[in-house]
Amino acid sequence: MTSFSTLPIKPALLASVETLGYAAMTPVQTQSLPPMLDGRDVIAQAQTGSGKTAAFGLGLLQAIDVDTIRLQALVLCPTRELADQVSKAIRKLAANIPNVKLLTLCGGMPLGPQLASLTHDPHIVVGTPGRVQEHLKRGSLHGGGIKVLVLDEADRMLDMGFTEAIDDIIGRIAKHHQTLLFSATYPDEIRAVSQRVQNDPVVVTVEAPADKKPAIEQRFHEVDPAQKLDALSQVLSGHAEQALVFCNMRREVDAVAQELDRRGFSALALHGDMEQRDRDEVLVRFANHSCAVLVATDVAARGLDIVALPLVVSYDIAHDPETHTHRIGRTGRAGQAGLAITLCTPRERPKAANIEALNGTPLPWRPLKLAPPRGKTLHLAPMKTLVIDAGRQDKLRPGDILGALTGDAGLAAKDIGKIDIFATRAYVAITRALANKALEGLRAGKIKGRHFRVRPLG
Ligand code: AMP
C-alpha cells in the first residue's frame, strides 16, 4: 500500500486524488508513476480497470505548464468512446489546476467545431489517431511543444490499422518527448512499436496477485452451427443480469440481436457500421440497464465502460487467442466473479486449439444439453430509456430532468436511473414499469420551464 503523497507531484494533483477517494496507488501506478515523473519512457502492460488512466493522467498533468499556451500532452486512443472516458478522467484529475485546457479530437465528428475550438492551442489533446493526424497536417494543431505522448490501448490501435497514422503523428511532433505506451496485450507488434518510438523504456508488467484475481470461470461448449442461437438463448436465460455477446462479423451482430429481441430479450447491436448517434444511444442504454444483452463486434465493444459484467459470451469463437483474452477480460472486473462462455462449432475447433496452446492448460469443455424453451420467456432489462430532445446546448442539466420527474411527473427518485446529457439530447433511465407514467408526466409538464419532445427508446 503506497500512498500518492510519496510522489513528487503538484499539491493540486494530490488534492484531486484525495477528492476522488484514491487511498493508495494501484500496482500499475506504483510501478509506472515514479519513472514517469522522472521523465522516463514507460511501456506498461495494463488492462482497463488497473488504474492506468490515472497513472498517465497524473504523469502528463505534472509535466505540463499551464502558463505556456501550447499543446504539451497528446493522448491517442483507439476509439471515441475511450477518448471520451480518458478526457473525463483527466479533467477530474486536473480539477484543482486552474485554466487547464483539454480538447477531445475524434474522427466521426464534424471538423468545423473542432477547428473553431482550436483557435488557441489547448494544453492537452485526447483523440483518435486519424483525426489528430489530420489536424497536425492541416496546421490546426501544433505538435512542436509536446512533452508527453501517450499511446493508450496501443494493441487495439494497431489492430485497427492506426500504425501509419501514429508514425506520421510522431514525425510531426517535438523530437524530444516522453512516450508512455499502455497495452492490454504484449504481442511482438507492440514490442516493435516500442522499439521504434521509445527510448530505453521502463517496462511495467503487473500480475494481479492470485488472491485478488477476479474469479473468471470459463466454459467452452461445442455446438452445431444450426443450434447456435438456441444455445445462446439458453446460456443467456440462465442469467438474469447483463451480458455482452461477441460476434466476429457485423452482419451477424445485427442478425443475432434481432433474433434475441424476437425471443423476448432486451437486446441491442453495436458495431462500427452504425451512425455515431446510434452507437452513443446503444452505449447509454446498456450502461443505464435498459438493455440486458449487448451484441457487439470486438472493436465496437472497446468503448464500453462497464465495471463488472457478470457474463460474456463468444457467439463465435475469437479468431485469435489475444482477442479471446480481451473478451474474457470484460467479465469479472472490479474483483467480481464472472463467467465467460464460448460457443464453438466443430469447424472452429482449430481456433480453440490455438487458445489452448496459448493458455497451456486444457480448455474447460462442458456439454450443453439444449432444453426446449418453456413458452415465451421474457428477459427484459429492469429499466427503460426516455430520450428528451434537448441537451447541453439548451443548458439542460441532470437536476432539471430529475426535478421534472420527481415534481410534476410524480416519480420517486429511486425509480430514476442514470441521466446522460449530450449536446442536443438527453437520456434518462426509468424503472420499466413506470416508464409510461414518466413519459406522460414529462410530456404534460415542463422541463426547465419549457416543453421538449420526449420519446421512449425500444
Ligand atoms: P482504468 O484502469 O484507468 O480504466 O481505471 C479503472 C478505475 O479505477 C477508474 O474508475 C478509476 O477511477 C479507478 N482508480 C484509478 N486509480 C485508483 C486508485 N489508486 N484507487 C482507487 N481507484 C482508482
Side-chain angles (χ1 to χ4, degrees):
M1 290 282 275
T2 320
S3 153
F4 282 92
S5 60
T6 59
L7 296 171
I9 54 174
K10 300 171 187 171
L13 292 176
L14 278 181
S16 306
V17 164
E18 193 161 318
T19 310
L20 287 166
Y22 301 168
M25 286 192 265
T26 66
V28 169
Q29 292 162 353
T30 311
Q31 287 193 40
S32 65
L33 271 163
M36 262 185 221
L37 295 170
D38 250 359
R40 296 281 305 270
D41 280 1
V42 170
I43 173 167
Q45 178 167 20
Q47 311 271 351
T48 304
S50 60
K52 67 187 166 78
T53 317
F56 65 71
L58 289 170
L60 70 86
L61 285 168
Q62 178 67 21
I64 64 168
D65 167 20
V66 179
D67 295 331
T68 309
I69 310 297
R70 263 192 120 173
L71 176 60
Q72 298 169 52
L74 174 61
V75 182
L76 298 176
C77 303
T79 61
R80 185 173 80 100
E81 285 80 12
L82 183 66
D84 283 339
Q85 265 166 250
V86 167
S87 297
K88 267 192 212 156
I90 296 179
R91 276 186 216 282
K92 281 188 192 155
L93 290 167
N96 298 302
I97 310 177
N99 304 323
V100 176
K101 204 174 158 207
L102 181 151
L103 210 60
T104 315
L105 297 175
C106 296
M109 308 293 286
L111 205 61
Q114 292 185 354
L115 292 172
S117 53
L118 279 167
T119 44
H120 295 292
D121 274 349
H123 300 106
I124 307 164
V125 161
V126 180
T128 48
R131 184 55 60 93
V132 168
Q133 178 191 22
E134 191 173 345
H135 281 292
L136 287 168
K137 267 191 184 162
R138 280 172 165 258
S140 42
L141 196 63
H142 311 100
I146 289 180
K147 298 178 186 168
V148 184
L149 170 69
V150 180
L151 305 176
D152 192 15
E153 302 205 351
D155 49 352
R156 281 290 136 178
M157 290 202 282
L158 299 194
D159 287 352
M160 292 170 71
F162 282 134
T163 314
E164 268 176 48
I166 293 169
D167 282 338
D168 184 61
I169 288 168
I170 292 173
R172 292 172 189 275
I173 67 174
K175 246 203 160 47
H176 293 288
H177 62 259
Q178 179 182 28
T179 306
L180 311 174
L181 190 157
F182 288 80
S183 183
T185 59
Y186 236 71
D188 289 343
E189 292 91 322
I190 287 291
R191 273 179 248 274
V193 169
S194 167
Q195 275 178 8
R196 216 164 52 237
V197 308
Q198 293 194 296
N199 178 18
D200 187 23
V202 174
V203 181
V204 173
T205 35
V206 182
E207 264 293 301
D211 59 336
K212 287 263 178 63
K213 260 192 195 154
I216 299 177
E217 186 195 345
Q218 285 208 68
R219 286 181 207 160
F220 282 71
H221 298 302
E222 185 164 298
V223 290
D224 213 57
Q227 291 178 325
K228 260 183 154 183
L229 273 165
D230 291 335
L232 178 64
S233 307
Q234 184 164 320
V235 298
L236 290 174
S237 299
H239 294 267
E241 302 157 88
Q242 285 194 305
L244 175 60
V245 176
F246 285 101
C247 297
N248 289 345
M249 282 179 309
R250 290 172 183 188
R251 77 186 134 71
E252 202 154 44
V253 165
D254 280 328
V256 169
Q258 272 168 25
E259 180 56 25
L260 288 177
D261 186 73
R262 208 185 58 78
R263 294 183 184 208
F265 291 87
S266 302
L268 291 173
L270 183 73
H271 56 68
D273 273 349
M274 294 162 58
E275 296 283 334
Q276 188 63 51
R277 178 186 166 134
D278 294 333
R279 278 179 31 193
D280 285 341
E281 225 153 63
V282 168
L283 292 172
V284 162
R285 290 165 75 183
F286 194 54
N288 75 17
H289 293 275
S290 51
C291 160
V293 182
L294 184 64
V295 188
T297 54
D298 291 285
V299 168
R302 290 303 286 184
L304 274 180
D305 182 24
I306 308 291
V307 184
L309 280 170
L311 175 65
V312 167
V313 183
S314 281
Y315 180 76
D316 302 307
I317 190 166
H319 284 309
D320 56 79
E322 285 80 21
T323 306
H324 180 78
T325 305
H326 265 291
R327 288 181 179 179
I328 64 172
R330 309 287 325 207
T331 183
R333 282 211 246 149
Q336 308 233 18
L339 179 61
I341 293 179
T342 302
L343 304 181
C344 179
T345 61
R347 281 186 60 177
E348 292 174 318
R349 274 283 191 161
K351 290 184 197 160
N354 288 342
I355 295 170
E356 187 164 78
L358 187 87
N359 284 5
T361 49
L363 297 180
W365 291 99
R366 301 267 181 284
L368 183 70
K369 204 159 163 280
L370 285 178
R374 278 177 281 112
K376 191 171 165 64
T377 44
L378 279 179
H379 312 275
L380 292 175
M383 309 296 277
K384 197 170 163 80
T385 299
L386 304 183
V387 52
I388 301 164
D389 279 353
R392 273 200 308 275
Q393 284 179 10
D394 310 274
K395 303 249 179 338
L396 193 65
R397 282 171 313 177
D400 302 323
I401 299 173
L402 205 61
L405 285 166
T406 52
D408 292 349
L411 264 80
K414 69 168 175 42
D415 290 314
I416 304 166
K418 208 163 167 276
I419 296 177
D420 292 279
I421 304 207
F422 287 70
T424 57
R425 286 158 295 128
Y427 299 89
V428 54
I430 309 283
T431 300
R432 185 164 286 271
L434 295 170
N436 273 337
K437 179 178 174 185
L439 182 66
E440 282 162 21
L442 288 181
R443 282 179 172 167
K446 292 181 173 179
I447 307 173
K448 248 180 116 83
R450 293 171 58 190
H451 283 289
F452 293 110
R453 214 162 80 91
V454 187
R455 65 209 146 77
L457 281 182

